[in-house]
Amino acid sequence: MKLVTLVSNNVGVDTYLELRKAVNFKPLSRTQAKKALDNSLYIVCAYIDAKIVGMGRLVGDGAVICYIQDLMIHPNYQKQGIGTKLMNDMLAYLKSRQIFMISVIFEEGLRPFYERFGFWS
């Protein structure tokens, strides 16, 4: 596998919308996407050779509670450990800020992935 570089809090609206489309997430308007990104607590993106291949976003109050949102891995790069890298980065961010109430909403097929991090439905 090629080297994955993580970059935090630096993703453009077009890139976000393109990645959402690639993983078949519900389409958003540019206005919705910009507001979602602007109001995020933390964003981390995964790049390979300067191409975005995944991202995760945290939303919450910045003190107690947070939701893991928009964890997306481009279909061409799934099952390569990129999601794990993004989750570990987001969880480290939350731990460093002593945010302890963490929730995630996921499709049932992804349950084994999230269970590895201590989440269950």
Side-chain angles (χ1 to χ4, degrees):
M1 183 173 95
K2 293 186 177 191
L3 179 65
V4 176
T5 304
L6 299 183
V7 176
S8 58
N9 298 319
N10 186 14
V11 64
V13 172
D14 291 333
T15 302
Y16 175 56
L17 290 172
E18 288 169 15
L19 193 54
R20 286 183 66 87
K21 184 177 180 180
V23 298
N24 294 316
F25 276 21
K26 183 177 180 170
L28 302 177
S29 70
R30 286 186 56 75
T31 302
Q32 287 174 311
K34 181 173 182 356
K35 190 166 188 173
L37 293 173
D38 289 347
N39 288 320
S40 298
L41 182 62
Y42 180 73
I43 301 168
V44 61
C45 298
Y47 291 87
I48 294 177
D49 297 332
K51 177 185 176 185
I52 192 166
V53 296
M55 74 169 277
R57 188 167 72 90
L58 301 176
V59 296
D61 61 20
V64 177
I65 192 164
C66 186
Y67 294 88
I68 296 172
Q69 187 70 35
D70 292 339
L71 182 59
M72 305 178 281
I73 310 302
H74 190 285
N76 295 342
Y77 296 90
Q78 292 177 3
K79 308 276 190 217
Q80 297 181 31
I82 296 167
T84 298
K85 287 180 184 292
L86 292 170
M87 282 293 292
N88 286 335
D89 183 84
M90 289 187 289
L91 293 172
Y93 173 90
L94 295 169
K95 184 177 180 180
S96 74
R97 279 141 185 89
Q98 299 178 330
I99 297 172
F100 58 90
M101 293 180 68
I102 306 164
S103 296
V104 63
I105 298 172
F106 55 87
E107 294 180 19
E108 186 61 29
L110 295 173
R111 182 178 177 153
F113 174 80
Y114 287 104
E115 282 180 337
R116 292 195 328 247
F117 298 95
F119 294 98
W120 60 91
S121 58

